[in-house]
Amino acid sequence: MRGDSDGLIVIKFSDVSLIYPNSTTTVLENLNLEITEGELVLVIGPTGSGKSSLLRLINGLVPHHTGGILAGDITVDGISTRDVKPGGLAHLIGIVGQNPLNGFVADTVEEELAFAMEALNLPHETMRKRVEEVLDSISLTQLRSRSIATLSGGEQQRVAIASALVMHPKVLVLDEPTSALDPIAAEEVLSILHRLVHDLSLTIIIAEHKLERVIGFADRIIHINGDGQTMVGTAEEIMAVSNIAPPIVHLARALGLDEVALSVRHMRRMTQELRDSTPIHRVKTKPASTLPVIEIENLSLAYGTKIALNSISATIFDNEIVAIMGRNGAGKSSLLRSIAGINELEHGQVLVHGLKPKDLHRKIRRESIGYIPQEPSDLLYCQSVTKECEVADRDNELTTGTTHALLTQLVPGIALHRHPRDLSEGQRLGLALSVVLSANPKILILDEPTRGLDYEAKKTLTRILIEFASIFNRAVILATHDVELVAELATRTIFIADGDIVADGPTLDVLLSSPAFAPQVAKVMSPQPWLRVRDVLDAIGGRTQSC
Amino acid sequence: MKKISLHPLTWPICSIAIAISVVRLNTPLFAIVSVGVVGFIVFTQREDAPWGKSFDWSLKVALWILIIRIFIGVSIGLPIPGTTLFTLPRIPLPDWMPGIRIGGAVTLERVSSALGEGVIICAIIVIFSAAASLTSPHRLLRVLPIYVYEFGVTVVIATSVLPQLVSSVARIRMAQRLRGQQTKGFASYRRLAIPLLEESLARSLDLAAAMDSRGYGVNRKRSRYRPISWRMSDSAVVACAGIVMALS
């Protein structure tokens, strides 16, 4: 078992406390931690709890780059981050940021890989050799001369990892490496990391919200609470007590099992009896309404020579929650934008309540279509939460305070004087949602709403969307990579690949038909058609206690 | 037309040479011709990269400057005698401001001189932005000497922010149009500016942090993976611009 004290210690935190100026909460308090060679450590915690700070402490970006008061000492391979600037640790630590695109310096993949080596003045021959090595080991050879701007999200992430690996670092630090990726690309990135740990005994530290993706790889977990308290332990130890947990752990708890399983294989063994003893039980779904809201007919769209959508037809009805899934670049956003009326349509038409969305403006638009873009902050432009709410009230001719009331209902406890930028991801999404919902739109469109959201925020979002769809009888359409979210809330799933609809049907059928897109509970419970912990409990009825 | 790959300093040097010739000759005709030539080069040679689009923006900005310049040139300033086109009502100014007048007779000479000056100012803006849209800021950074480390970082941040701003503007405008906001007029600029500034600031900090942690500027010396070399084609292009400057 790794994580014991017998390995070579690579990273050592001694009595580390961190506090940012103008802040009343401590991020970390007296953290003592030793990470040994070849360990994969997962950092978890709610948004804004300081996961990124912890990662950036390792190479000294905090506090050298960000400010903040640091007590205690962090050493990496015996070098204290007090003594050297982040650049001085570049040969030891590779760091991959949340959005790798923001950190790229060169134009092409090959030059990007060479950048850090050039900065350290390595000889030409060494550079050539290392670039070739890394291109092979991360399977990037095909992409070597591609322009960085044309890479997909998964490819960017791999290039970022590769450009850290060319330095032959001892430690690799990744901040939410899979949050923007579809399940298949995420799987690719994680299997590379897994291999690096096992083949090269690289030490890897990852922060990630989507635990269902990474938990199986983690040796140890650092759980940050946000108030300075941290828990460090093996994955099993932390998962036994943590409130942040993947569905598989929630399932084990709900079933009252004595131990938590972290892999589908393990969990299947523990629930064998339960699956077999219950007859195949299909969860009943509410029949969808027959009132069409959005009619899409033969919609085609192309950017230059690249076909984004290829003659798509679909009808979306009242009170449906439709999830649009597919790989990065499959055409999800293009479809959403066409429904919202931003893109010029090449062929075909889109009608929202019989109107062309392109012709809607101002108040009529707000009342017809609510749209939350990938960056919810694009919608916000005021200096404080209060002002943002007031503007929404004025725009929609509502009595003052209506939007604010809506906001407190959706996401309670937001400080009103704060700047929208300073809110957590979840709070900002909540604010954007209440601004959009205050106009009472007939349909709601969300593009990748769960990027960077923690489980708590996702739960809130799920509740809001289900209420909006069922109470007000409105249609919700969302594009997402998050299968667990889809399983929780969508009534219908449309799967897009290369601009075509390849599957369209009830969420249950679409998700179960593809192993890569099946949620954890479904994988554990297969062949039983259950997607959520709730479905399992409903199906087995009162037998929970006896398990 | 085939795209030729040039040294990142070639176009900036050329644009300086052409801008100097425009100023030295001081004739609107030459300014217009050079904008035409530069525009042709940009539209055939630029890459499909974010900074490539900065040229279109500079054209719009230049047009605005031209309009403002003509308006001010016609309505404020010294009278130039000549053919009177029309007469604006003159705003009386106190005695202690002799020589300045607002309004009055608008002569053909006055319009043409304002137009001429405006064209030259705009030409210079367009010529420099052409160099910006033809040159990858990343490659430009790679040829900068390492001893300008701090300055170099500033240059990277500045150059990568500007073109990315252009693409962010489109995205934010789209989002706000979907919120049912007007995307024209003065108020819309305020709504655009705030998210835009915040985003570019955050992005620049990310970039700076990434460069720092990858060891940029740690060593005084810096090796080259694929050295960017100065070739014959670069000399030829720069020589052409140099001849134009010498002849002006």
Side-chain angles (χ1 to χ4, degrees):
Chain A
M1 178 84 219
R2 272 179 279 117
D4 295 341
S5 53
D6 52 352
L8 178 72
I9 294 164
V10 181
I11 303 170
K12 188 170 181 189
F13 282 67
S14 342
D15 291 321
V16 171
S17 300
L18 176 70
I19 186 166
Y20 285 120
N22 309 323
S23 159
T24 47
T25 47
T26 35
V27 184
L28 296 171
E29 222 171 275
N30 288 326
L31 175 65
N32 281 297
L33 175 68
E34 284 172 0
I35 298 175
T36 51
E37 191 185 68
E39 248 193 302
L40 196 150
V41 180
L42 181 63
V43 183
I44 65 173
T47 39
S49 58
K51 293 192 297 298
S52 297
S53 297
L54 178 68
L55 296 189
R56 289 166 146 229
L57 273 171
I58 297 173
N59 81 335
L61 276 176
V62 176
H64 285 300
H65 211 272
T66 54
I69 302 155
L70 172 69
D73 194 24
I74 300 142
T75 56
V76 180
D77 205 28
I79 305 175
S80 165
T81 59
R82 282 181 180 280
D83 306 332
V84 286
K85 287 204 160 186
L89 291 166
H91 63 288
L92 271 180
I93 304 169
I95 191 159
V96 178
Q98 234 168 51
N99 191 347
L101 193 58
N102 286 356
F104 286 142
V105 186
D107 296 334
T108 64
V109 172
E110 228 180 326
E111 284 173 9
E112 182 64 37
L113 296 188
F115 175 80
M117 293 191 290
E118 289 181 331
L120 293 193
N121 199 19
L122 296 186
H124 186 250
E125 301 74 48
T126 318
M127 282 199 268
R128 288 307 293 261
K129 206 176 85 226
R130 285 199 187 173
V131 166
E132 295 306 320
E133 263 170 32
V134 165
L135 284 175
D136 282 337
S137 74
I138 313 279
S139 348
L140 286 171
T141 340
Q142 308 286 329
L143 306 175
R144 63 185 305 157
S145 51
R146 279 266 295 277
S147 153
I148 297 244
T150 63
L151 300 178
S152 74
E155 290 166 341
Q156 282 172 11
Q157 199 65 251
R158 271 156 57 202
V159 170
I161 293 173
S163 56
L165 288 180
V166 287
M167 303 295 285
H168 290 183
K170 291 204 166 160
V171 180
L172 189 61
V173 177
L174 301 106
D175 200 350
E176 297 198 29
T178 73
S179 71
L181 304 185
D182 60 71
I184 296 159
E187 198 61 42
E188 259 171 36
V189 168
L190 290 169
S191 64
I192 288 172
L193 297 181
H194 187 238
R195 209 184 63 221
L196 291 172
V197 169
H198 284 261
D199 290 359
L200 304 175
S201 200
L202 196 68
T203 307
I204 297 186
I205 295 122
I206 304 183
E208 182 63 66
H209 281 305
K210 289 180 180 157
L211 292 188
E212 59 274 14
R213 289 179 171 177
V214 291
I215 195 86
F217 300 107
D219 295 314
R220 274 202 293 169
I221 292 180
I222 305 174
H223 181 297
I224 304 185
N225 275 339
D227 53 2
Q229 300 305 311
T230 43
M231 278 192 288
V232 184
T234 62
E236 287 82 4
E237 284 165 15
I238 299 290
M239 279 305 121
V241 290
S242 164
N243 52 341
I244 302 168
I248 200 170
V249 171
H250 285 301
L251 179 64
R253 286 183 193 163
L255 294 175
L257 304 179
D258 332 318
E259 62 172 324
V260 288
L262 300 180
S263 71
V264 169
R265 181 177 63 168
H266 191 181
M267 191 65 187
R268 274 184 76 82
R269 282 181 191 155
M270 297 202 301
T271 54
Q272 173 93 48
E273 199 190 337
L274 173 81
R275 280 198 311 277
D276 294 349
S277 63
T278 316
I280 298 286
H281 177 279
R282 214 185 132 93
V283 182
K284 281 195 207 79
T285 42
K286 262 198 304 187
S289 121
T290 49
L291 201 67
V293 186
I294 305 166
E295 289 157 278
I296 305 164
E297 274 173 50
N298 299 322
L299 171 66
S300 294
L301 192 75
Y303 301 111
T305 53
K306 192 181 170 288
I307 293 168
L309 295 174
N310 190 7
S311 195
I312 279 185
S313 299
T315 310
I316 291 166
F317 300 94
D318 249 350
N319 78 34
E320 271 192 314
I321 301 180
V322 182
I324 298 178
M325 301 195 76
R327 279 187 288 277
N328 293 72
K332 300 188 297 294
S333 292
S334 301
L335 180 58
L336 291 193
R337 288 178 188 188
S338 306
I339 298 172
I342 312 163
N343 287 345
E344 291 289 345
L345 310 181
E346 213 142 292
H347 293 291
Q349 67 169 357
V350 178
L351 293 178
V352 175
H353 276 287
L355 299 170
K356 283 191 182 155
K358 197 115 210 321
D359 302 338
L360 301 174
H361 292 290
R362 313 204 69 180
K363 192 156 192 293
I364 304 168
R365 163 171 285 283
R366 283 195 286 270
E367 286 169 357
S368 312
I369 303 168
Y371 178 89
I372 308 275
Q374 263 180 30
E375 287 293 334
S377 53
D378 286 358
L379 291 177
L380 309 173
Y381 49 82
C382 296
Q383 296 299 316
S384 71
V385 176
T386 325
K387 285 204 186 114
E388 206 66 70
C389 293
E390 281 167 7
V391 170
D393 286 340
R394 213 166 41 234
D395 280 347
N396 301 312
E397 293 155 26
L398 300 168
T399 41
T400 318
T402 317
T403 310
H404 176 225
L406 186 65
L407 177 65
T408 27
Q409 199 190 330
L410 298 185
V411 218
I414 293 187
L416 288 175
H417 60 274
R418 291 186 75 178
H419 194 280
R421 179 102 215 162
D422 297 333
L423 300 176
S424 74
E425 304 268 353
Q427 290 175 327
R428 202 157 44 221
L429 179 65
L431 177 60
L433 259 174
S434 38
V435 164
V436 165
L437 291 183
S438 67
N440 202 4
K442 297 198 179 81
I443 62 170
L444 181 63
I445 301 174
L446 301 99
D447 199 350
E448 293 282 350
T450 59
R451 234 182 131 154
L453 291 197
D454 54 22
Y455 284 115
E456 207 48 48
K458 258 196 260 184
K459 223 190 267 171
T460 314
L461 177 73
T462 309
R463 179 180 52 91
I464 294 171
L465 295 185
I466 290 178
E467 278 174 13
F468 179 73
S470 56
I471 298 177
F472 298 102
N473 254 338
R474 299 284 155 85
V476 176
I477 307 168
L478 70 159
T480 181
H481 291 314
D482 195 327
V483 277
E484 304 295 343
L485 179 84
V486 174
E488 283 295 329
L489 69 84
T491 57
R492 172 176 164 191
T493 300
I494 296 178
F495 195 90
I496 300 185
D498 265 345
D500 290 312
I501 293 184
V502 288
D504 178 2
T507 300
L508 189 61
D509 297 329
V510 176
L511 288 192
L512 289 182
S513 64
S514 147
F517 283 81
Q520 267 194 322
V521 173
K523 283 181 189 161
V524 170
M525 288 301 169
S526 154
Q528 294 280 10
W530 300 327
L531 298 178
R532 303 167 286 195
V533 176
R534 192 159 19 118
D535 298 341
V536 180
L537 294 185
D538 284 351
I540 60 173
R543 296 197 296 124
T544 327
Q545 303 312 321
S546 62
C547 282
Chain B
M1 199 173 149
K2 194 175 164 280
K3 286 180 184 167
I4 36 173
S5 155
L6 291 173
H7 194 273
L9 285 175
T10 306
W11 290 122
I13 294 173
C14 285
S15 66
I16 292 170
I18 298 173
I20 290 174
S21 343
V22 168
V23 174
R24 270 168 58 170
L25 276 176
N26 204 15
T27 49
L29 184 66
F30 180 75
I32 291 169
V33 169
S34 40
V35 166
V37 171
V38 158
F40 176 75
I41 296 173
V42 169
F43 284 118
T44 54
Q45 293 292 321
R46 71 171 164 193
E47 282 167 68
D48 191 19
W51 53 86
K53 292 179 190 74
S54 60
F55 185 72
D56 305 354
W57 276 75
S58 80
L59 283 180
K60 275 186 202 162
V61 170
L63 205 65
W64 272 106
I65 292 175
L66 189 64
I67 292 168
I68 293 167
R69 177 73 191 90
I70 293 173
F71 175 74
I72 291 174
V74 164
S75 57
I76 305 169
L78 290 170
I80 302 174
T83 332
T84 306
L85 293 176
F86 53 90
T87 309
L88 292 173
R90 200 171 154 180
I91 299 166
L93 288 174
D95 295 341
W96 46 268
M97 288 176 77
I100 298 174
R101 58 176 216 163
I102 299 175
V106 176
T107 59
L108 187 62
E109 284 71 13
R110 204 170 163 187
V111 173
S112 66
S113 99
L115 189 67
E117 282 167 24
V119 163
I120 289 169
I121 296 171
C122 294
I124 290 167
I125 293 170
V126 170
I127 288 165
F128 279 117
S129 83
S133 74
L134 286 169
T135 310
S136 151
H138 304 299
R139 290 191 57 195
L140 186 64
L141 173 81
R142 281 156 53 82
V143 297
L144 284 179
I146 193 64
Y147 50 79
V148 287
Y149 168 59
E150 301 289 342
F151 176 72
V153 173
T154 322
V155 171
V156 181
I157 292 171
T159 50
S160 69
V161 164
L162 274 177
Q164 281 170 349
L165 278 182
V166 176
S167 49
S168 304
V169 166
R171 210 193 68 237
I172 296 171
R173 282 205 148 181
M174 177 204 92
Q176 298 205 341
R177 203 168 70 226
L178 292 175
R179 190 178 163 180
Q181 304 286 8
Q182 284 284 54
T183 47
K184 293 195 175 74
F186 181 72
S188 78
Y189 287 104
R190 210 182 79 89
R191 281 198 294 266
L192 187 66
I194 290 165
L196 194 61
L197 279 176
E198 286 166 356
E199 184 181 293
S200 30
L201 196 66
R203 208 182 277 201
S204 321
L205 287 175
D206 270 5
L207 179 62
M211 291 182 64
D212 232 5
S213 33
R214 290 169 72 184
Y216 184 74
V218 167
N219 253 344
R220 290 286 115 185
K221 280 181 86 179
R222 188 181 164 83
S223 54
R224 297 279 147 85
Y225 174 67
R226 285 237 164 107
I228 301 175
S229 54
W230 187 267
R231 294 201 210 109
M232 278 301 290
S233 48
D234 296 297
S235 305
V237 173
V238 169
C240 287
I243 292 168
V244 171
M245 187 173 77
L247 290 178
S248 65

Short mmCIF file of all heavy atoms in Angstrom, two decimals, chain B residues 140-176:
data_model
loop_
_atom_site.label_atom_id
_atom_site.label_comp_id
_atom_site.label_asym_id
_atom_site.label_seq_id
_atom_site.Cartn_x
_atom_site.Cartn_y
_atom_site.Cartn_z
N LEU B 140 6.84 36.30 -32.02
CA LEU B 140 7.56 37.54 -31.79
C LEU B 140 8.30 37.48 -30.46
O LEU B 140 9.47 37.84 -30.36
CB LEU B 140 6.57 38.72 -31.79
CG LEU B 140 7.19 40.10 -31.70
CD1 LEU B 140 8.04 40.38 -32.92
CD2 LEU B 140 6.12 41.16 -31.57
N LEU B 141 7.60 36.94 -29.46
CA LEU B 141 8.23 36.83 -28.15
C LEU B 141 9.47 35.96 -28.20
O LEU B 141 10.47 36.22 -27.55
CB LEU B 141 7.23 36.24 -27.16
CG LEU B 141 7.85 35.93 -25.81
CD1 LEU B 141 7.94 37.19 -25.00
CD2 LEU B 141 7.09 34.87 -25.09
N ARG B 142 9.39 34.90 -29.01
CA ARG B 142 10.50 33.96 -29.04
C ARG B 142 11.79 34.56 -29.61
O ARG B 142 12.87 34.06 -29.35
CB ARG B 142 10.11 32.71 -29.83
CG ARG B 142 9.25 31.75 -29.02
CD ARG B 142 8.42 30.86 -29.90
NE ARG B 142 9.25 30.18 -30.88
CZ ARG B 142 9.94 29.09 -30.63
NH1 ARG B 142 9.92 28.56 -29.44
NH2 ARG B 142 10.65 28.51 -31.57
N VAL B 143 11.68 35.61 -30.39
CA VAL B 143 12.91 36.21 -30.90
C VAL B 143 13.40 37.37 -30.04
O VAL B 143 14.46 37.92 -30.28
CB VAL B 143 12.76 36.68 -32.36
CG1 VAL B 143 12.47 35.51 -33.26
CG2 VAL B 143 11.70 37.74 -32.50
N LEU B 144 12.58 37.73 -29.03
CA LEU B 144 13.04 38.82 -28.17
C LEU B 144 14.21 38.35 -27.31
O LEU B 144 14.21 37.23 -26.83
CB LEU B 144 11.91 39.28 -27.24
CG LEU B 144 10.83 40.13 -27.88
CD1 LEU B 144 9.78 40.48 -26.85
CD2 LEU B 144 11.40 41.38 -28.49
N PRO B 145 15.23 39.18 -27.14
CA PRO B 145 16.35 38.77 -26.30
C PRO B 145 15.91 38.58 -24.86
O PRO B 145 15.00 39.25 -24.38
CB PRO B 145 17.33 39.93 -26.43
CG PRO B 145 16.58 41.04 -27.05
CD PRO B 145 15.39 40.50 -27.73
N ILE B 146 16.55 37.64 -24.17
CA ILE B 146 16.10 37.24 -22.85
C ILE B 146 16.34 38.32 -21.80
O ILE B 146 15.67 38.38 -20.79
CB ILE B 146 16.77 35.90 -22.45
CG1 ILE B 146 16.10 35.29 -21.23
CG2 ILE B 146 18.25 36.07 -22.21
CD1 ILE B 146 14.67 34.91 -21.44
N TYR B 147 17.33 39.21 -22.04
CA TYR B 147 17.62 40.19 -20.99
C TYR B 147 16.51 41.21 -20.82
O TYR B 147 16.51 42.00 -19.90
CB TYR B 147 18.97 40.88 -21.21
CG TYR B 147 19.17 41.43 -22.60
CD1 TYR B 147 18.60 42.65 -22.97
CD2 TYR B 147 19.92 40.74 -23.53
CE1 TYR B 147 18.77 43.14 -24.24
CE2 TYR B 147 20.10 41.23 -24.80
CZ TYR B 147 19.52 42.43 -25.16
OH TYR B 147 19.68 42.91 -26.41
N VAL B 148 15.54 41.18 -21.73
CA VAL B 148 14.39 42.05 -21.50
C VAL B 148 13.27 41.24 -20.84
O VAL B 148 12.12 41.37 -21.18
CB VAL B 148 13.89 42.71 -22.80
CG1 VAL B 148 14.84 43.78 -23.24
CG2 VAL B 148 13.70 41.70 -23.90
N TYR B 149 13.66 40.39 -19.86
CA TYR B 149 12.70 39.46 -19.27
C TYR B 149 11.39 40.12 -18.82
O TYR B 149 10.32 39.79 -19.30
CB TYR B 149 13.35 38.72 -18.10
CG TYR B 149 12.37 37.96 -17.26
CD1 TYR B 149 11.58 36.97 -17.83
CD2 TYR B 149 12.22 38.23 -15.91
CE1 TYR B 149 10.67 36.26 -17.08
CE2 TYR B 149 11.31 37.53 -15.15
CZ TYR B 149 10.55 36.55 -15.73
OH TYR B 149 9.65 35.86 -14.98
N GLU B 150 11.53 41.06 -17.86
CA GLU B 150 10.31 41.66 -17.31
C GLU B 150 9.49 42.30 -18.43
O GLU B 150 8.28 42.15 -18.51
CB GLU B 150 10.65 42.73 -16.26
CG GLU B 150 11.47 42.22 -15.08
CD GLU B 150 10.66 41.33 -14.16
OE1 GLU B 150 9.42 41.38 -14.23
OE2 GLU B 150 11.28 40.57 -13.38
N PHE B 151 10.21 43.00 -19.29
CA PHE B 151 9.54 43.65 -20.41
C PHE B 151 8.89 42.61 -21.32
O PHE B 151 7.76 42.77 -21.78
CB PHE B 151 10.56 44.50 -21.17
CG PHE B 151 10.00 45.13 -22.40
CD1 PHE B 151 9.11 46.19 -22.29
CD2 PHE B 151 10.35 44.66 -23.66
CE1 PHE B 151 8.59 46.77 -23.42
CE2 PHE B 151 9.83 45.24 -24.79
CZ PHE B 151 8.94 46.30 -24.67
N GLY B 152 9.62 41.52 -21.55
CA GLY B 152 9.11 40.45 -22.40
C GLY B 152 7.80 39.90 -21.89
O GLY B 152 6.86 39.68 -22.65
N VAL B 153 7.72 39.70 -20.58
CA VAL B 153 6.48 39.19 -19.99
C VAL B 153 5.34 40.17 -20.25
O VAL B 153 4.24 39.79 -20.63
CB VAL B 153 6.66 38.95 -18.48
CG1 VAL B 153 5.34 38.61 -17.84
CG2 VAL B 153 7.66 37.85 -18.24
N THR B 154 5.63 41.45 -20.07
CA THR B 154 4.62 42.46 -20.32
C THR B 154 4.15 42.39 -21.77
O THR B 154 2.96 42.48 -22.05
CB THR B 154 5.19 43.86 -20.06
OG1 THR B 154 6.05 43.78 -18.94
CG2 THR B 154 4.10 44.86 -19.81
N VAL B 155 5.10 42.21 -22.66
CA VAL B 155 4.75 42.15 -24.08
C VAL B 155 3.85 40.95 -24.36
O VAL B 155 2.83 41.08 -25.03
CB VAL B 155 6.02 42.09 -24.95
CG1 VAL B 155 5.66 41.79 -26.40
CG2 VAL B 155 6.78 43.39 -24.86
N VAL B 156 4.20 39.80 -23.79
CA VAL B 156 3.36 38.62 -24.01
C VAL B 156 1.95 38.89 -23.53
O VAL B 156 0.97 38.61 -24.24
CB VAL B 156 3.83 37.40 -23.19
CG1 VAL B 156 2.94 36.21 -23.47
CG2 VAL B 156 5.23 37.08 -23.47
N ILE B 157 1.86 39.41 -22.32
CA ILE B 157 0.53 39.61 -21.75
C ILE B 157 -0.25 40.58 -22.63
O ILE B 157 -1.38 40.31 -23.02
CB ILE B 157 0.64 40.09 -20.30
CG1 ILE B 157 1.22 38.94 -19.46
CG2 ILE B 157 -0.69 40.51 -19.76
CD1 ILE B 157 1.58 39.33 -18.06
N ALA B 158 0.40 41.68 -23.00
CA ALA B 158 -0.31 42.69 -23.80
C ALA B 158 -0.73 42.12 -25.14
O ALA B 158 -1.87 42.27 -25.56
CB ALA B 158 0.58 43.90 -23.99
N THR B 159 0.19 41.43 -25.80
CA THR B 159 -0.14 40.97 -27.15
C THR B 159 -1.15 39.84 -27.14
O THR B 159 -1.94 39.71 -28.05
CB THR B 159 1.11 40.47 -27.89
OG1 THR B 159 1.80 39.57 -27.04
CG2 THR B 159 2.00 41.62 -28.29
N SER B 160 -1.12 39.03 -26.09
CA SER B 160 -2.08 37.93 -26.12
C SER B 160 -3.44 38.40 -25.64
O SER B 160 -4.45 37.82 -25.98
CB SER B 160 -1.59 36.76 -25.29
OG SER B 160 -1.60 37.10 -23.95
N VAL B 161 -3.46 39.46 -24.86
CA VAL B 161 -4.76 39.97 -24.40
C VAL B 161 -5.51 40.64 -25.55
O VAL B 161 -6.68 40.37 -25.77
CB VAL B 161 -4.57 40.96 -23.24
CG1 VAL B 161 -5.82 41.78 -23.03
CG2 VAL B 161 -4.24 40.22 -21.97
N LEU B 162 -4.82 41.47 -26.32
CA LEU B 162 -5.53 42.25 -27.33
C LEU B 162 -6.31 41.39 -28.33
O LEU B 162 -7.50 41.58 -28.47
CB LEU B 162 -4.55 43.17 -28.06
CG LEU B 162 -4.34 44.50 -27.35
CD1 LEU B 162 -3.31 45.33 -28.09
CD2 LEU B 162 -5.65 45.27 -27.24
N PRO B 163 -5.64 40.43 -29.00
CA PRO B 163 -6.41 39.64 -29.95
C PRO B 163 -7.48 38.79 -29.29
O PRO B 163 -8.56 38.61 -29.85
CB PRO B 163 -5.37 38.75 -30.62
CG PRO B 163 -4.11 38.96 -29.92
CD PRO B 163 -4.24 40.07 -28.98
N GLN B 164 -7.20 38.31 -28.08
CA GLN B 164 -8.21 37.49 -27.41
C GLN B 164 -9.41 38.35 -27.03
O GLN B 164 -10.53 37.87 -26.98
CB GLN B 164 -7.62 36.82 -26.18
CG GLN B 164 -6.80 35.60 -26.55
CD GLN B 164 -6.00 35.06 -25.40
OE1 GLN B 164 -5.89 35.69 -24.36
NE2 GLN B 164 -5.43 33.90 -25.59
N LEU B 165 -9.15 39.63 -26.78
CA LEU B 165 -10.24 40.55 -26.51
C LEU B 165 -11.23 40.53 -27.66
O LEU B 165 -12.43 40.51 -27.46
CB LEU B 165 -9.71 41.98 -26.37
CG LEU B 165 -9.13 42.41 -25.05
CD1 LEU B 165 -8.72 43.87 -25.13
CD2 LEU B 165 -10.14 42.23 -23.95
N VAL B 166 -10.67 40.53 -28.88
CA VAL B 166 -11.54 40.58 -30.05
C VAL B 166 -12.51 39.42 -30.06
O VAL B 166 -13.71 39.59 -30.28
CB VAL B 166 -10.67 40.61 -31.34
CG1 VAL B 166 -11.55 40.58 -32.57
CG2 VAL B 166 -9.77 41.82 -31.34
N SER B 167 -11.99 38.20 -29.75
CA SER B 167 -12.91 37.06 -29.78
C SER B 167 -13.84 37.07 -28.57
O SER B 167 -14.98 36.62 -28.67
CB SER B 167 -12.14 35.74 -29.87
OG SER B 167 -11.12 35.70 -28.92
N SER B 168 -13.36 37.60 -27.44
CA SER B 168 -14.25 37.67 -26.28
C SER B 168 -15.40 38.64 -26.52
O SER B 168 -16.52 38.41 -26.08
CB SER B 168 -13.48 38.12 -25.04
OG SER B 168 -12.40 37.29 -24.81
N VAL B 169 -15.10 39.74 -27.22
CA VAL B 169 -16.15 40.72 -27.48
C VAL B 169 -17.32 40.06 -28.18
O VAL B 169 -18.48 40.22 -27.78
CB VAL B 169 -15.60 41.88 -28.35
CG1 VAL B 169 -16.73 42.71 -28.90
CG2 VAL B 169 -14.67 42.75 -27.54
N ALA B 170 -17.01 39.27 -29.20
CA ALA B 170 -18.07 38.61 -29.96
C ALA B 170 -18.90 37.71 -29.05
O ALA B 170 -20.13 37.72 -29.11
CB ALA B 170 -17.46 37.80 -31.09
N ARG B 171 -18.20 36.98 -28.18
CA ARG B 171 -18.91 36.04 -27.32
C ARG B 171 -19.81 36.75 -26.32
O ARG B 171 -20.97 36.39 -26.13
CB ARG B 171 -17.87 35.19 -26.59
CG ARG B 171 -18.32 33.82 -26.25
CD ARG B 171 -17.39 33.14 -25.27
NE ARG B 171 -17.45 33.78 -24.00
CZ ARG B 171 -16.38 34.29 -23.39
NH1 ARG B 171 -15.20 34.24 -23.94
NH2 ARG B 171 -16.51 34.87 -22.22
N ILE B 172 -19.28 37.82 -25.71
CA ILE B 172 -20.05 38.52 -24.69
C ILE B 172 -21.23 39.24 -25.32
O ILE B 172 -22.34 39.22 -24.79
CB ILE B 172 -19.14 39.48 -23.90
CG1 ILE B 172 -18.09 38.68 -23.15
CG2 ILE B 172 -19.96 40.31 -22.94
CD1 ILE B 172 -17.02 39.51 -22.52
N ARG B 173 -21.01 39.84 -26.48
CA ARG B 173 -22.10 40.51 -27.18
C ARG B 173 -23.23 39.55 -27.45
O ARG B 173 -24.40 39.86 -27.26
CB ARG B 173 -21.61 41.04 -28.52
CG ARG B 173 -20.83 42.28 -28.40
CD ARG B 173 -20.92 43.01 -29.69
NE ARG B 173 -20.85 44.42 -29.42
CZ ARG B 173 -20.92 45.34 -30.33
NH1 ARG B 173 -21.08 45.01 -31.59
NH2 ARG B 173 -20.85 46.60 -30.01
N MET B 174 -22.85 38.36 -27.91
CA MET B 174 -23.85 37.36 -28.22
C MET B 174 -24.67 37.04 -26.98
O MET B 174 -25.89 37.04 -27.01
CB MET B 174 -23.13 36.11 -28.73
CG MET B 174 -24.03 34.97 -29.02
SD MET B 174 -23.08 33.46 -28.91
CE MET B 174 -23.35 33.04 -27.20
N ALA B 175 -23.95 36.81 -25.86
CA ALA B 175 -24.64 36.45 -24.63
C ALA B 175 -25.61 37.56 -24.22
O ALA B 175 -26.73 37.30 -23.80
CB ALA B 175 -23.64 36.18 -23.53
N GLN B 176 -25.16 38.80 -24.40
CA GLN B 176 -26.01 39.89 -23.92
C GLN B 176 -27.18 40.14 -24.86
O GLN B 176 -28.24 40.58 -24.43
CB GLN B 176 -25.17 41.14 -23.72
CG GLN B 176 -24.13 40.84 -22.65
CD GLN B 176 -23.65 42.04 -21.94
OE1 GLN B 176 -23.80 43.17 -22.42
NE2 GLN B 176 -23.06 41.85 -20.79
#
